[in-house]
Amino acid sequence: MSTIILGIESSCDDTSAAVIKDGILLSNVIASQKVHEEYGGVVPELASRAHQQNIVPVVDTAIKRAGIDKSEISAIAFTRGPGLLGSLLVGTSFAKGLSLGLNIPLVDVNHLHGHVLSHFVKRQESDTVPEFPYLCLLISGGNSQLIHVRSPYDMEVIGKTIDDAAGEAFDKCAKVMGLPYPGGPHIDRLAAEGDASRFKFSKPHIQGLDYSFSGLKTSFLYTLRDNLKTDPDFIEKNKADLAASLQRTIIEILLDKLKKAVKLTGVSTVAIGGGVSANSGVREAIAEYCRKNSLNAFIPERAFTTDNAAMVAIAGYFKYLNQDFCKLDEAPYARVTI
Ligand code: KG4
């Protein structure tokens, strides 16, 4: 008999539902929330309210697009954390209600496991997936982590940021350049037209596999401040070069620790995930590094880099196979690690 998992994601500002049948994606619906744009960041209370409006039509559409009847669903997987508590509560409560109504098991998913396991979402049976063990570079607005993935149930964070995440470095530097939130995609777009060797920003000197991006941010700010003293139009005139130089530096920082981690673990496969893995420069640099070092590279489709329920459904699928279910009285959690 087939295993059909309905995944529900509501950890931040995207309401998403997906259906997976024996590991193959049947539907993945995402409703993004435009309401936050004018505030320059996600407003938690507005996010919860938007989730409440979106969740029923999003789940309904995902089931219809999958071409299944809800009575065929084997289990419901939902993001239990980390994320915004109010947002998580909407998805968690909905998932619990539906599992009660359909009398099927509930599977709680750590959002970060979802990003790490997103490479196992298949479009068709012949799609290749990573072999264990592999190294996952998880880079998002809230995380920068190197994860040694030994199985879907056994993963270890071997390096993480001690201050800002890579996405924060993109977003905060973009903000001081006057770019809209989130700034990462704007830096990516501008960088394509800029000279990446024009500006030099400082890089961290941290032992081991941990990351740091706050020094880069400060050095970026100082460059702007010093130049703006003599030229008030400095940012406008140099935005492409600034973006390209910033992006290059972030990539160098990411690659430096990734290379060390590959040596240390001896893995032959490298995967990336999280919002920043949508960055064109990051994708090219990882692909090139892997090609030169005969490593298998897993670079997600752009649709799977940001928050989506397909990754929640696949992480839930593995837990379902392991009979690892969640009780109805479990609460969501705002903070959790791998
Ligand atoms: O994983 P994600 O959707 O959720 C959070 O952790 O919040 O990641 C969002 C982050 C933001 O910092 C955003 O600027 C960044 O991913 N991002 C990018 C790109 N697309 C999204 N950063 C650089 N280049 C991109 N193309």
Side-chain angles (χ1 to χ4, degrees):
M1 212 178 92
S2 293
T3 300
I4 298 184
I5 306 289
L6 168 68
I8 295 175
E9 156 65 31
S10 73
S11 64
C12 190
D13 60 341
D14 291 305
T15 320
S16 180
V19 176
I20 279 188
K21 184 178 184 179
D22 297 327
I24 296 183
L25 187 66
L26 299 184
S27 66
N28 185 34
V29 178
I30 305 176
S32 300
Q33 304 177 358
K34 294 265 169 267
V35 64
H36 309 286
E37 270 170 17
E38 61 179 292
Y39 301 98
V42 178
V43 184
E45 183 53 32
L46 295 180
S48 318
R49 287 187 212 167
H51 282 304
Q52 281 184 321
Q53 285 177 345
N54 293 341
I55 194 130
V56 172
V58 164
V59 170
D60 193 46
T61 309
I63 292 172
K64 285 198 178 114
R65 279 197 198 154
I68 58 154
D69 186 83
K70 59 182 185 306
S71 61
E72 295 176 75
I73 301 171
S74 316
I76 299 169
F78 69 98
T79 302
R80 187 168 163 201
L84 300 170
L85 207 49
S87 294
L88 289 164
L89 266 171
V90 178
T92 304
S93 310
F94 184 88
K96 285 179 182 177
L98 195 58
S99 94
L100 259 179
L102 296 174
N103 196 24
I104 52 173
L106 196 58
V107 182
D108 60 323
V109 169
N110 177 333
H111 181 83
L112 302 174
H113 286 196
H115 275 303
V116 173
L117 297 172
S118 61
H119 299 278
F120 290 86
V121 177
K122 287 184 174 183
R123 295 277 184 190
Q124 63 243 337
E125 195 50 60
S126 56
D127 286 353
T128 48
V129 296
E131 272 180 32
F132 297 106
Y134 67 94
L135 202 60
C136 179
L137 174 63
L138 177 55
I139 33 178
S140 68
N143 290 284
S144 295
Q145 298 184 336
L146 280 163
I147 302 156
H148 191 201
V149 191
R150 298 184 198 100
S151 84
Y153 320 104
D154 179 12
M155 31 186 110
E156 184 189 358
V157 177
I158 55 173
K160 61 180 182 315
T161 180
I162 57 166
D163 41 56
D164 285 348
E168 274 175 291
F170 273 110
D171 295 343
K172 289 178 178 171
C173 293
K175 188 164 183 162
V176 293
M177 285 174 69
L179 297 169
Y181 177 88
H186 297 280
I187 298 283
D188 192 352
R189 179 178 44 81
L190 285 169
E193 294 147 26
D195 173 3
S197 60
R198 169 92 186 280
F199 298 103
K200 303 271 177 289
F201 304 119
S202 62
K203 287 199 268 180
H205 299 281
I206 305 220
Q207 296 294 312
L209 297 174
D210 283 344
Y211 284 114
S212 166
F213 289 97
S214 68
L216 163 63
K217 186 181 65 188
T218 310
S219 135
F220 187 83
L221 278 174
Y222 283 178
T223 302
L224 296 192
R225 187 198 61 181
D226 294 346
N227 285 285
L228 283 168
K229 278 183 199 156
T230 51
D231 180 3
D233 297 327
F234 174 75
I235 297 177
E236 190 49 39
K237 284 187 207 152
N238 298 288
K239 59 184 182 196
D241 291 351
L242 283 165
S245 304
L246 173 70
Q247 183 168 296
R248 171 189 52 79
T249 315
I250 292 176
I251 293 169
E252 284 171 4
I253 297 172
L254 289 172
L255 264 279
D256 177 44
K257 296 297 166 101
L258 176 71
K259 288 177 189 171
K260 283 189 181 142
V262 168
K263 279 212 181 98
L264 207 76
T265 55
V267 293
S268 52
T269 300
V270 168
I272 56 171
V276 179
S277 65
N279 182 271
S280 323
V282 170
R283 296 166 78 87
E284 266 167 43
I286 299 279
E288 193 190 330
Y289 161 67
C290 288
R291 206 169 35 243
K292 283 191 178 153
N293 292 277
S294 308
L295 298 162
N296 303 310
F298 281 84
I299 296 170
E301 279 180 36
R302 279 201 165 81
F304 295 149
T305 58
T306 46
D307 295 345
N308 66 86
M311 68 182 200
V312 176
I314 197 74
Y317 174 62
F318 283 119
K319 284 186 88 171
Y320 177 86
L321 295 180
N322 221 17
Q323 300 271 297
D324 186 357
F325 303 131
C326 169
K327 292 197 293 265
L328 278 172
D329 59 357
E330 304 281 18
Y333 36 59
R335 289 185 177 278
V336 70
T337 51
I338 286 278

